Amino acid sequence: MNSNNKYRNIYCGNITVNDVGKKVKIAGWINSIRNLGSLVFVTLRDETGIIQVISEDSTLFEKITRESTASITGTVQKRSGNVNPNMKTGEVEVLLENIEILGKCQNTLPFEIARSKDANEETRLKYRYLDLRNPLVHDKIVFRTNVIDFIRKTMKDMEFTEITTPIITGSSPEGARDFVIPSRNYHGKFYALPQAPQIYKQLLMVSGFNRYFQIAPCFRDEDCRADRTLEFYQLDFEMSFATDEDVYEVGETVFYNTFSHFSDKYVSPRPFKRIAYNDAMLKYGSDKPDLRNPLIIEDVSDIFENSEFNGFKGKIVRVIKCQNVDKSNSWYKKLEDFVKSKGGSGLAYIKVHENNELNSAILKFLSEEEKENLINKLNPNNGDVIFLLAGDEHIVKIAGLLRNLLGEELNLIDHNKFEFCIVNDFPFFEYNEDDKKWDFGHNPFSMPQGGLESLENKNPGDILAYQYDFVCNGNEMASGAVRNHDIDIMKKAFEIAGYSEDVVKDKFRSLYTAFTFGAPPHAGMAPGIDRIVMLLTEEENLREVQVFPPNVSGMDLLMGSPNTLTDKQLKELGITITEEK
């Protein structure tokens, strides 16, 4: 409020017909200028919205430029016959009395603010502060804040304690590549940014905290893509004396309440469907299945085990049955090209007509018994099409990709739904063909099902872990596990993965030592904040819901990073730069 109390400070978007006749003071960005000679129309924009300002001073057009910041005083009046129903303030306008330019826009805009999303992404990110002036972009960041506030309240209502863990930590072999920080005081040694607060949150459980959470920044030096960036945030939480079912209940509460609160779409009810990893890979060809798609993949390898057709004989054969398909030959060719582009050898299909009459180019290679067994297993109807893929273990995921494509092509996916599920019973180990060794399949700090006995007596490939993912509409939304809190189990698990006890003690010194002082059973998980916001805002790219993201190549075009250091800085750090040969 100014000193003479004559004008009322108010935000642009909050002016209504109730303010007609009142003197107001507003400030914001010049959104548009329209000079009609006798009248000048200006719209002023701030975070709350846009208001029209009118003046009879035709010289005003010469004083101001679009996107300059200005302070305007005037009287609110009703619009005369030109109400704009598309504006929140479309019934009123401000009759200008005075304008003060606070910050002049002196440069040509690199893009139209209102259409910034149409600009090249590189340009948008370079001038991100301009891109964020666009309400369509700006409001998603505000929305993100509201989602985080809601999640934080939900966690506190469930008696979780918010604790912030360190950002500068030590490097550890957790799967992804670390961002490392050279130490100035200890040349040749490095800190690291945390891939996740994994070890810290387990130490908090050993410290006697019952339920911990934080909105945690995580850093991974990996290639960026639509659903992954160098830096991201997750709702990190852990619980002492807890089972996987305890974590499921918390996760279901967070996801159901958040998605129900911020969206009008259908949200699958609790408890979410549980799907074992092996079943997910068989039926959906993915460990993050989109349950909006009703198509199911079936295994028919046994039918063709001794086939005379070399394309199927002795191979993994998967089929997808689609109902009421009426498509051109070019459509089928497009599907075949898609399968080949993903590494498959080809795609066969059988059209089903009345009385199970079959039509396909591959029928001449199949025996009557094989055709009969296929019909008996799939029980198709007139108009159905049976798609068949064959190959090695890679065909499993290719079948999943084809299932996704068919769901979209045949309009089978209801985009007004959020379908959640929990995928569990992941393999504890997976065999690395390149290194000829067993690696951890998911999280090295997980508890194997069956404990120490399973590690000592089972083939590593047969051991399951208490690990689980929350999945929504084909997106991995959270990952978690019941943690390994037993030293003997930890030593044996890392031994199978090729790590000696000395390595475990060195790389995970704090955790290893802490567990010798009495550790509680504990479990937790980490829902991805960025992906939650991305789905709720119906964006397809995480960068759209992060305030200052890097580009797809991992470069921050706004700040100019990564950049070089001065010779003085390098000397302080004990670093010498060598050219690649």
Side-chain angles (χ1 to χ4, degrees), residues 330-572:
S330 61
W331 183 77
Y332 289 99
K333 180 65 168 59
K334 182 176 71 173
L335 297 180
E336 183 179 6
D337 291 342
F338 173 81
V339 169
K340 289 181 178 179
S341 72
K342 300 302 179 182
S345 59
L347 175 66
Y349 57 92
I350 301 173
K351 297 179 180 180
V352 182
H353 302 297
E354 290 187 38
N355 300 320
N356 286 334
E357 179 185 344
L358 307 180
N359 180 16
S360 174
I362 69 164
L363 292 178
K364 59 185 177 183
F365 301 110
L366 307 182
S367 68
E368 291 301 320
E369 181 182 4
E370 289 167 347
K371 288 184 279 189
E372 183 179 345
N373 288 339
L374 190 64
I375 292 299
N376 289 339
K377 182 160 189 171
L378 301 179
N379 192 28
N381 296 312
N382 180 28
D384 290 357
V385 174
I386 301 168
F387 293 94
L388 302 97
L389 303 97
D392 57 17
E393 64 274 9
H394 298 295
I395 207 66
V396 174
K397 292 186 177 180
I398 296 174
L401 295 173
L402 177 63
R403 172 183 175 268
N404 293 341
L405 179 61
L406 287 169
E408 292 288 355
E409 289 283 326
L410 299 174
N411 297 317
L412 300 175
I413 297 175
D414 187 346
H415 292 279
N416 289 312
K417 285 186 175 183
F418 289 117
E419 285 284 2
F420 283 91
C421 66
I422 299 170
V423 178
N424 55 17
D425 293 344
F426 279 83
F428 195 76
F429 297 102
E430 60 184 20
Y431 192 72
N432 186 323
E433 290 288 351
D434 294 332
D435 298 333
K436 305 300 179 185
K437 64 182 286 291
W438 289 101
D439 288 333
F440 290 108
H442 204 269
N443 186 318
F445 303 103
S446 303
M447 180 67 77
Q449 295 185 21
L452 185 61
E453 182 180 351
S454 67
L455 295 177
E456 293 177 335
N457 299 320
K458 283 188 175 183
N459 181 295
D462 296 330
I463 301 172
L464 300 180
Y466 286 111
Q467 296 169 340
Y468 36 83
D469 286 352
F470 276 62
V471 175
C472 179
N473 296 358
N475 297 275
E476 180 188 318
M477 303 301 294
S479 185
V482 175
R483 314 303 179 187
N484 183 355
H485 69 284
D486 185 287
I487 287 291
D488 292 332
I489 297 175
M490 178 184 288
K491 288 191 296 186
K492 185 62 180 178
F494 276 89
E495 177 188 319
I496 293 173
Y499 298 94
S500 68
E501 183 177 359
D502 289 340
V503 171
V504 176
K505 285 182 178 178
D506 179 54
K507 292 294 184 181
F508 309 109
R509 182 180 308 161
S510 57
L511 203 59
Y512 185 96
T513 304
F515 284 176
T516 65
F517 288 97
H522 53 285
M525 72 174 194
I529 295 295
D530 307 83
R531 289 187 182 175
I532 289 174
V533 178
M534 186 177 76
L535 262 64
L536 286 171
T537 56
E538 300 184 20
E539 290 287 354
E540 296 181 354
N541 193 315
L542 281 183
R543 295 188 292 278
E544 292 291 347
V545 297
Q546 295 177 327
V547 64
F548 294 116
N551 68 5
V552 71
S553 300
M555 297 181 66
D556 183 345
L557 302 177
L558 176 64
M559 302 300 291
S561 66
N563 55 7
T564 58
L565 300 181
T566 65
D567 290 341
K568 180 181 178 181
Q569 288 174 304
L570 292 173
K571 185 177 180 180
E572 286 180 338

Side-chain angles (χ1 to χ4, degrees), residues 173-197:
E174 295 180 42
R177 188 181 293 109
D178 285 327
F179 276 105
V180 295
I181 308 170
S183 170
R184 177 179 58 84
N185 290 323
Y186 304 96
H187 285 183
K189 293 189 177 182
F190 300 84
Y191 302 103
L193 301 179
Q195 296 180 29

Side-chain angles (χ1 to χ4, degrees), residues 201-218:
K201 68 180 178 182
Q202 291 192 248
L203 291 174
L204 287 172
M205 299 301 100
V206 181
S207 303
F209 293 97
N210 189 36
R211 291 185 163 201
Y212 136 91
F213 89 98
Q214 69 171 313
I215 308 298
C218 304

